[in-house]
């Protein structure tokens, strides 16, 4: 949280209506770019929803024009150099650690660790996606049980432009298929909600004006199912996904991800190959022939 953000506005909003917890990312001025403050607020919200007997289903969504532009790599609220009370694992605080140690400890906690744990939340979680769902935003949508997208939603993981093989939660081959994952990553371009649906990554595409109602209706229908039965069903499918290699696959790619960060830092000036939000946007415009 910085002076440029309204201190009265939480970075994540949490509301419960008729057994449905709405978890809303709330940095619309930065397209819901995810800083650590937001990550820990999401963690708090998911814990709260898991513990609350009045909550059966959780909907994750974004305030403003977009679901999420990804990890915060350039807003005034970027907080990669700050300590938080760690929640996802036993890695020590990353602040002040040398070289790759700092990045590895931080990303083990706030990216891979948090996301893997959120995937295990024993209640149903639906991603309600509109507008941009880019890079780190994909991680948030992918930890949900399924994705409802509006017809204006688009998805991209452009971090190969940083010389890095995809975002930290490397679920790509499992959520869209291997050939699609290669196209998605090699080009780094946006795909439409309709394309994402064809690839099996998105469950439903609905008109923007109907997105909230469609998602809520589905959440209400799930909410009347037996809670423990739903939890066991989720675990059953997650276990099947893990038997197809998701969890161990992501762990192994996390090593390549950090090798790429370290390589960037060794041969250049930083672990992101000198890229920031502006240069990523400019390179996308160049590659795609220019648009907003
Ligand atoms: Zn990283």
């Amino acid at each position: 949280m910085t002076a440029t953000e309204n201190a009265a506005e939480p970075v994540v909003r949490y509301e419960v209506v008729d057994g449905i917890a709405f978890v809303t990312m709330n940095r619309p001025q930065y397209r819901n770019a995810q800083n650590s403050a937001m990550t820990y607020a999401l963690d708090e919200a998911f814990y709260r929803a898991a513990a609350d007997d009045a909550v059966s289903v959780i909907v994750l969504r974004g305030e403003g024009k977009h679901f999420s532009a990804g990890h915060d790599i350039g807003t005034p609220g970027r907080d990669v150099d700050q300590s938080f009370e760690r929640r996802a694992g036993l890695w020590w605080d990353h602040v002040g650690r040398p070289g790759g140690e700092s990045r590895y400890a931080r990303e083990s906690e706030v990216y891979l660790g948090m996301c893997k744990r959120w995937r295990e939340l024993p209640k149903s979680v639906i991603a309600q996606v509109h507008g941009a769902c880019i890079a780190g935003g994909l991680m948030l949508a992918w930890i949900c049980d399924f994705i409802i997208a509006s017809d204006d939603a688009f998805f991209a993981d452009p971090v190969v432009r940083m010389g890095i093989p995809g975002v930290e939660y490397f679920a790509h081959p499992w959520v869209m298929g291997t050939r699609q994952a290669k196209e998605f990553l090699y080009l780094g371009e946006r795909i439409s909600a309709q394309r994402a649906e064809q690839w099996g990554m998105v469950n439903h595409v609905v008109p923007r004006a109907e997105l909230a109602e469609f998602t809520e209706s589905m959440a209400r229908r799930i909410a009347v199912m037996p809670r423990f039965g739903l939890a066991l069903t989720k675990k059953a499918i997650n276990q099947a996904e893990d038997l197809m290699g998701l969890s161990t696959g992501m762990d192994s790619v996390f090593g390549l991800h950090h090798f790429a960060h370290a390589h960037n830092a060794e041969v250049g000036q930083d672990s992101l190959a000198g890229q920031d939000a502006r240069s990523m946007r400019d390179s996308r415009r160049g590659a795609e022939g220019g648009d907003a």
Side-chain angles (χ1 to χ4, degrees):
M1 191 72 66
T2 69
T4 57
E5 294 183 51
N6 182 352
E9 274 286 308
V11 291
V12 171
R13 286 204 318 270
Y14 181 87
E15 300 133 287
V16 177
V17 182
D18 298 334
I20 304 165
F22 292 93
V23 177
T24 311
M25 293 177 276
N26 190 32
R27 297 183 80 204
Q29 68 276 47
Y30 301 119
R31 302 193 300 158
N32 293 320
Q34 187 191 340
N35 56 7
S36 291
M38 179 184 279
T39 306
Y40 282 91
L42 285 170
D43 196 59
E44 190 66 40
F46 288 141
Y47 255 103
R48 198 168 157 187
D52 186 350
D53 282 346
V55 170
S56 300
V57 180
I58 297 138
V59 173
L60 176 63
R61 62 189 183 182
E63 182 62 53
K65 292 183 180 165
H66 302 281
F67 178 77
S68 173
H71 294 145
D72 188 341
I73 57 171
T75 85
R78 191 175 190 222
D79 53 9
V80 290
D81 54 352
Q82 291 178 36
S83 299
F84 289 81
E85 188 183 336
R86 292 174 306 287
R87 302 282 292 266
L90 291 171
W91 272 99
W92 49 78
D93 187 20
H94 68 284
V95 175
R97 307 294 173 177
E101 181 181 337
S102 177
R103 280 189 301 273
Y104 195 86
R106 178 172 180 275
E107 296 199 347
S108 294
E109 158 81 3
V110 299
Y111 294 154
L112 186 61
M114 292 270 192
C115 284
K116 285 184 82 170
R117 203 154 50 87
W118 295 340
R119 172 177 172 259
E120 300 295 329
L121 201 167
K123 291 182 179 175
S124 308
V125 188
I126 305 174
Q128 177 185 309
V129 177
H130 70 291
C133 181
I134 308 294
L138 294 167
M139 297 168 47
L140 298 179
W142 289 345
I143 60 98
C144 297
D145 296 323
F146 51 84
I147 300 172
I148 313 294
S150 58
D151 50 9
D152 68 346
F154 55 91
F155 303 84
D157 184 352
V159 308
V160 177
R161 289 200 188 113
M162 298 172 171
I164 299 170
V167 290
E168 291 82 2
Y169 187 90
F170 192 82
H172 315 56
W174 290 270
V175 298
M176 63 178 73
T178 51
R179 292 186 189 280
Q180 292 84 351
K182 285 176 178 171
E183 180 181 332
F184 189 64
L185 285 163
Y186 291 1
L187 294 169
E189 293 173 0
R190 298 171 169 186
I191 62 163
S192 66
Q194 292 78 8
R195 195 103 197 274
E197 186 183 26
Q198 288 165 12
W199 286 0
M201 194 185 97
V202 159
N203 292 64
H204 298 276
V205 180
V206 299
R208 176 78 183 86
E210 297 167 23
L211 177 66
E213 192 185 326
F214 186 96
T215 308
E216 203 174 319
S217 161
M218 190 172 268
R220 262 191 256 109
R221 277 143 52 211
I222 295 169
V224 300
M225 297 290 275
R227 183 171 64 192
F228 191 49
L230 281 173
L232 296 179
T233 303
K234 176 166 182 168
K235 199 161 182 58
I237 295 171
N238 282 5
Q239 282 173 349
E241 213 175 13
D242 285 340
L243 288 169
M244 292 185 268
L246 173 70
S247 191
T248 51
M250 289 196 300
D251 287 345
S252 70
V253 177
F254 194 63
L256 298 177
H257 181 97
H258 275 273
F259 175 59
H261 273 315
H263 175 73
N264 285 342
E266 189 177 344
V267 301
Q269 49 185 305
D270 64 45
S271 66
L272 302 180
Q275 297 273 15
D276 58 18
R278 181 180 298 265
S279 67
M280 288 295 279
R281 186 194 62 201
D282 291 346
S283 56
R284 179 180 62 76
R285 281 177 176 168
E288 295 180 7
D291 69 358

